[in-house]
């Protein structure tokens, strides 16, 4: 399990976290422009949505290991090329704007393949599926803990070239670590995979559909905060890029602790009580963030928010592994992730379009929607008997 699932996931998670947080931070540090930072965030996330229209079917047809390896190698090539262009004297903002959509697409392909492998491991674990998912989510949170902070430090002390070189090295190592597996050639998978199969499966699972719907609304608030935070910390509060990275690293630590607690709480009280508690924690923290005005407040409140999000993600991943049939798992997984990530490019465009002083009211509106969406979802889930307890 460690060699086949956890180790490749760990290295790819580090590369993914550095990609997600490093590229917008790189733009802010080199241009000091909120508009360009928001645009880079959107350019990075829009192709990620496109990736799920093809990656799920590719994984169902050809296997998770092959897709994972090719995606990591492609990201290595893209980042290495970008690093060489910056060394040759091309402007960093221009290079990053081109790099963002490429790395966004490839990162989501590798993530979907890794999630499919984790889903298979969860199904083999049976009633202990939430324990496997908590380990996988813990790996992701450790990567998020290290990634933003490392990005800030590399950028502050070594510049863009060192940041890009480290990202390329992590991507190459992830490709080398994934074990070789035989290609999937099942005719049933070939006929039944794809976006259509994902939609049909999601519609047939009302518990999963309601939870995904609530988390879409919640992710709108999280995406807006993630897109706006480099602008708020660097431009509005006058802090360094390392300080901006530290916020999300502290949030990842809080989320990691919450994931560990959620695993034990689900053993004792069940899936839905833990999910409802996490929803209250997340929505309450976002409402408080809308009123924050100091770096310390942002640091503490975003940590609380991501602790709640960590508990919600354990619930979602456990439910997916229980309910989605294995023959269409990647296709349905790709659809759910596509829906959950849709708010991210919209958030980047919003940050690019509105002035920095308008970010506070936008966060307040998103926080109210988040609270309403999560309350509605969990109120409906209490009446559905098909979900695991």
């Amino acid at each position: 399990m460690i060699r086949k699932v956890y180790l490749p996931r760990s290295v790819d998670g580090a590369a993914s976290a550095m990609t997600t947080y490093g590229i917008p931070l790189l733009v802010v540090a080199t241009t000091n422009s909120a508009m360009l930072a928001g645009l880079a965030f959107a350019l990075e996330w829009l192709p990620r949505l496109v990736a799920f229209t093809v990656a799920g079917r590719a994984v169902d047809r050809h296997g998770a290991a092959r897709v994972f390896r090719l995606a990591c190698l492609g990201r290595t090539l893209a980042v290495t090329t970008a690093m060489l262009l910056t060394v040759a004297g091309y402007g960093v903002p221009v290079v990053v704007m081109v790099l963002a959509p490429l790395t966004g697409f490839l990162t989501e392909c590798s993530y979907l393949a890794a999630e499919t492998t984790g889903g298979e491991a969860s199904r083999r674990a049976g009633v202990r599926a939430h324990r496997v998912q908590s380990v996988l989510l813990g790996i992701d949170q450790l990567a998020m803990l290290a990634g933003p902070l490392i990005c800030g430090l590399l950028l502050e002390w070594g510049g863009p070239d060192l940041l890009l070189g480290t990202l390329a090295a992590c991507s190459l190592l992830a490709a080398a670590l994934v074990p070789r597996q035989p290609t999937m050639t099942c005719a049933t998978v070939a006929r039944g995979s794809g976006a259509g199969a994902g939609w049909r499966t999601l519609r047939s699972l009302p518990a999963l559909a309601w939870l995904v719907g609530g988390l879409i609304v919640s992710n709108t608030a999280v995406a807006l905060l993630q897109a706006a935070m480099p602008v708020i910390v660097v431009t509005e509060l006058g802090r360094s890029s390392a300080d901006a990275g530290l916020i999300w690293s502290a949030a990842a630590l809080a989320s990691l602790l919450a994931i560990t607690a959620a695993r034990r709480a689900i053993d004792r009280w069940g899936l839905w009580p833990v999910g409802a508690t996490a929803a209250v924690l997340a929505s309450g923290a976002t409402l408080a963030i809308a009123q924050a005005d100091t770096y310390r407040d942002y640091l503490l409140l975003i940590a609380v928010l991501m602790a709640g999000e960590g508990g919600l993600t354990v619930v979602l991943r456990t439910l997916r592994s229980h309910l989605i049939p294995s023959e269409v798992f990647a296709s349905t997984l790709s659809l759910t992730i596509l829906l959950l990530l849709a708010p991210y490019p919209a958030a980047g465009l919003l940050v690019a379009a509105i002035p920095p002083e308008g970010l506070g009211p936008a966060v307040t509106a998103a926080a109210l929607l988040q609270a309403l969406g999560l309350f509605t979802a969990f109120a409906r889930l209490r009446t559905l008997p098909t979900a695991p307890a």
Side-chain angles (χ1 to χ4, degrees):
M1 180 77 78
I2 294 176
R3 174 64 181 87
K4 292 182 178 180
V5 179
Y6 296 151
L7 188 56
R9 177 68 167 263
S10 298
V11 179
D12 181 65
S16 298
M18 292 178 66
T19 300
T20 300
Y21 297 100
I23 287 180
L25 190 59
L26 188 58
V27 173
V28 172
T30 55
T31 67
N32 202 34
S33 169
M35 182 188 72
L36 289 178
L39 183 59
F41 191 88
L43 286 175
E44 184 182 359
W45 280 101
L46 279 170
R48 295 187 179 208
L49 305 186
V50 178
F52 291 112
T53 64
V54 296
R57 189 176 183 88
V59 170
D60 280 337
R61 281 177 174 267
H62 305 294
R66 175 173 292 185
V67 174
F68 182 90
R69 184 180 297 107
L70 290 176
C72 290
L73 289 175
R75 187 173 57 205
T76 302
L77 179 61
V79 175
T80 302
T81 302
M83 181 182 64
L84 294 176
L85 288 174
T86 60
V87 171
Y90 289 87
V92 173
V94 175
V95 172
V96 170
M97 290 297 181
V98 177
L99 177 65
L102 291 174
T103 54
F105 180 87
L106 294 167
T107 292
E108 290 311 315
C109 288
S110 67
Y111 173 75
L112 179 64
E115 277 287 272
T116 302
T117 302
E120 294 170 356
S122 296
R123 283 192 296 275
R124 291 194 296 269
V127 295
R128 299 171 64 86
H130 65 279
R131 291 182 173 270
V132 175
Q133 288 299 325
S134 67
V135 173
L136 293 173
L137 188 54
I139 289 171
D140 291 346
Q141 296 305 313
L142 281 173
M144 189 186 296
L145 173 65
L149 183 58
I150 291 173
C151 285
L153 293 174
L154 290 175
L155 187 58
E156 186 169 351
W157 298 105
D161 297 338
L162 182 59
L163 174 58
L164 294 173
T166 304
L167 174 56
C170 288
S171 299
L172 183 60
L173 180 59
L177 285 173
V178 65
R180 293 191 175 275
Q181 296 175 3
T183 300
M184 297 172 62
T185 58
C186 177
T188 302
V189 171
R191 290 194 303 267
S193 60
W199 276 113
R200 289 191 298 271
T201 305
L202 185 61
R203 291 175 61 185
S204 69
L205 302 171
L208 181 61
W210 274 101
L211 182 58
V212 168
L215 290 178
I216 290 171
V217 181
S218 180
N219 277 7
T220 301
V222 176
L224 182 60
L225 286 171
Q226 188 171 318
M229 201 50 56
V231 177
I232 293 172
V233 173
V234 176
T235 303
E236 296 297 303
L237 298 181
R239 306 296 290 252
S240 69
S241 56
D243 290 330
L246 179 61
I247 283 186
W248 292 106
S249 294
L253 178 60
S255 182
L256 181 62
L257 296 175
I259 290 164
T260 303
R263 179 182 63 187
R264 297 176 180 175
I266 290 171
D267 284 336
R268 183 170 182 179
W269 290 296
L271 205 60
W272 298 126
V274 173
T277 302
V280 171
L281 194 65
S283 56
T286 310
L287 286 168
I289 288 171
Q291 309 304 318
D293 56 4
T294 67
Y295 178 80
R296 181 170 178 254
D297 289 342
Y298 282 115
L299 180 69
L300 294 176
L301 289 172
I302 288 181
V304 175
L305 166 63
M306 296 310 294
E309 285 291 314
L312 287 171
T313 306
V314 172
V315 172
L316 172 64
R317 291 186 175 187
T318 303
L319 190 64
R320 283 191 316 213
S321 65
H322 275 298
L323 296 182
I324 300 176
S326 59
E327 62 271 15
V328 290
F329 186 86
S331 296
T332 309
L333 174 64
S334 66
L335 175 63
T336 61
I337 297 175
L338 172 64
L339 295 172
L340 292 173
L341 293 185
Y344 282 84
L349 294 175
L350 181 62
V351 171
I354 64 177
E357 58 269 18
L359 291 176
V363 172
T364 300
L368 293 173
L369 288 174
Q370 179 191 36
L372 179 61
L374 289 175
F375 174 81
T376 303
F378 277 92
R380 184 69 181 88
L381 286 169
R382 291 185 60 187
T383 68
L384 296 174
T386 56

Coordinates of all heavy atoms in Angstrom, one line a residue, residues 25 146-160 162-163 240-246 249:
L25 N 1.4 33.2 -6.8 CA 2.3 34.0 -5.9 C 3.5 34.5 -6.7 O 4.0 35.6 -6.5 CB 2.8 33.0 -4.8 CG 3.7 33.6 -3.7 CD1 2.8 34.7 -2.9 CD2 4.1 32.5 -2.7
A146 N 3.4 21.9 3.3 CA 4.8 22.3 2.9 C 4.8 23.1 1.6 O 5.6 24.0 1.5 CB 5.5 20.9 2.6
G147 N 3.9 22.8 0.6 CA 4.0 23.5 -0.7 C 4.0 25.0 -0.7 O 4.9 25.6 -1.2
P148 N 2.9 25.6 -0.1 CA 2.9 27.1 -0.1 C 4.1 27.7 0.6 O 4.6 28.7 0.2 CB 1.6 27.4 0.6 CG 0.7 26.2 0.5 CD 1.7 25.1 0.5
L149 N 4.5 27.2 1.8 CA 5.6 27.7 2.5 C 6.9 27.6 1.7 O 7.7 28.5 1.6 CB 5.7 27.0 3.9 CG 6.8 27.6 4.8 CD1 6.6 29.0 5.1 CD2 6.8 26.8 6.1
I150 N 7.1 26.4 1.1 CA 8.3 26.2 0.3 C 8.3 27.2 -0.9 O 9.4 27.7 -1.2 CB 8.4 24.7 -0.1 CG1 8.7 23.8 1.1 CG2 9.5 24.6 -1.2 CD1 8.6 22.4 0.7
C151 N 7.2 27.3 -1.5 CA 7.1 28.3 -2.6 C 7.5 29.7 -2.2 O 8.3 30.3 -2.9 CB 5.7 28.3 -3.2 SG 5.2 26.8 -4.2
G152 N 6.9 30.1 -1.1 CA 7.3 31.5 -0.7 C 8.8 31.6 -0.3 O 9.4 32.6 -0.7
L153 N 9.3 30.6 0.3 CA 10.8 30.7 0.7 C 11.7 30.6 -0.6 O 12.6 31.3 -0.7 CB 11.1 29.5 1.7 CG 10.5 29.7 3.0 CD1 10.8 28.4 3.9 CD2 10.9 30.9 3.8
L154 N 11.3 29.6 -1.5 CA 12.1 29.5 -2.7 C 12.1 30.8 -3.5 O 13.1 31.2 -4.1 CB 11.6 28.3 -3.5 CG 11.9 26.9 -3.0 CD1 11.2 25.9 -3.9 CD2 13.4 26.7 -2.9
L155 N 10.9 31.4 -3.6 CA 10.8 32.6 -4.4 C 11.5 33.8 -3.7 O 12.1 34.6 -4.4 CB 9.3 33.0 -4.5 CG 8.9 34.1 -5.5 CD1 9.4 33.9 -6.9 CD2 7.4 34.3 -5.5
E156 N 11.5 33.8 -2.4 CA 12.1 35.0 -1.7 C 13.6 34.8 -1.7 O 14.3 35.8 -1.9 CB 11.6 35.0 -0.3 CG 12.1 36.2 0.5 CD 11.3 36.4 1.8 OE1 10.3 35.7 2.1 OE2 11.8 37.3 2.6
W157 N 14.1 33.6 -1.6 CA 15.6 33.4 -1.5 C 16.3 33.0 -2.7 O 17.5 33.2 -2.9 CB 15.9 32.4 -0.3 CG 15.4 32.9 1.0 CD1 14.3 32.5 1.7 CD2 16.0 33.9 1.8 NE1 14.2 33.1 2.9 CE2 15.2 34.1 3.0 CE3 17.1 34.8 1.6 CZ2 15.5 35.0 4.0 CZ3 17.4 35.7 2.6 CH2 16.6 35.8 3.8
G158 N 15.5 32.3 -3.6 CA 16.2 31.8 -4.8 C 15.6 32.3 -6.1 O 16.2 32.1 -7.2
G159 N 14.5 33.0 -6.1 CA 13.9 33.6 -7.3 C 13.1 32.6 -8.1 O 13.0 31.4 -7.7
P160 N 12.5 33.0 -9.2 CA 11.6 32.1 -10.0 C 12.3 30.9 -10.5 O 11.7 29.8 -10.6 CB 11.2 33.0 -11.2 CG 11.4 34.4 -10.7 CD 12.5 34.4 -9.7
L162 N 14.7 28.9 -9.2 CA 14.7 27.9 -8.2 C 13.4 27.3 -7.9 O 13.2 26.1 -7.8 CB 15.3 28.5 -6.9 CG 15.5 27.5 -5.8 CD1 16.5 26.3 -6.2 CD2 16.1 28.2 -4.5
L163 N 12.3 28.1 -7.9 CA 11.0 27.6 -7.7 C 10.6 26.7 -8.8 O 10.1 25.6 -8.6 CB 10.0 28.8 -7.6 CG 8.5 28.5 -7.5 CD1 8.2 27.6 -6.3 CD2 7.7 29.7 -7.4
S240 N 5.3 39.8 3.1 CA 6.1 39.2 2.1 C 5.4 38.0 1.4 O 4.4 37.5 1.9 CB 7.4 38.7 2.7 OG 7.2 37.6 3.6
S241 N 6.0 37.5 0.3 CA 5.4 36.3 -0.3 C 5.5 35.0 0.6 O 4.6 34.2 0.6 CB 6.2 36.0 -1.6 OG 7.5 35.9 -1.4
A242 N 6.5 35.0 1.5 CA 6.6 33.9 2.4 C 5.5 33.9 3.4 O 5.0 32.9 3.8 CB 8.0 34.0 3.1
D243 N 5.1 35.2 3.8 CA 3.9 35.3 4.7 C 2.7 34.8 4.1 O 1.8 34.2 4.7 CB 3.8 36.7 5.2 CG 4.9 37.2 6.1 OD1 5.4 36.4 6.8 OD2 5.2 38.4 6.1
A244 N 2.5 35.1 2.8 CA 1.3 34.6 2.1 C 1.3 33.1 2.0 O 0.2 32.5 2.2 CB 1.3 35.2 0.7
G245 N 2.4 32.5 1.8 CA 2.5 31.0 1.8 C 2.3 30.4 3.2 O 1.7 29.4 3.3
L246 N 2.7 31.1 4.2 CA 2.6 30.6 5.6 C 1.1 30.5 6.0 O 0.7 29.6 6.7 CB 3.3 31.6 6.6 CG 3.2 31.2 8.0 CD1 3.8 29.8 8.3 CD2 3.8 32.3 8.9
S249 N -0.1 27.2 4.6 CA 0.6 26.1 5.3 C 0.0 25.9 6.7 O -0.2 24.7 7.1 CB 2.1 26.4 5.4 OG 2.7 26.5 4.2

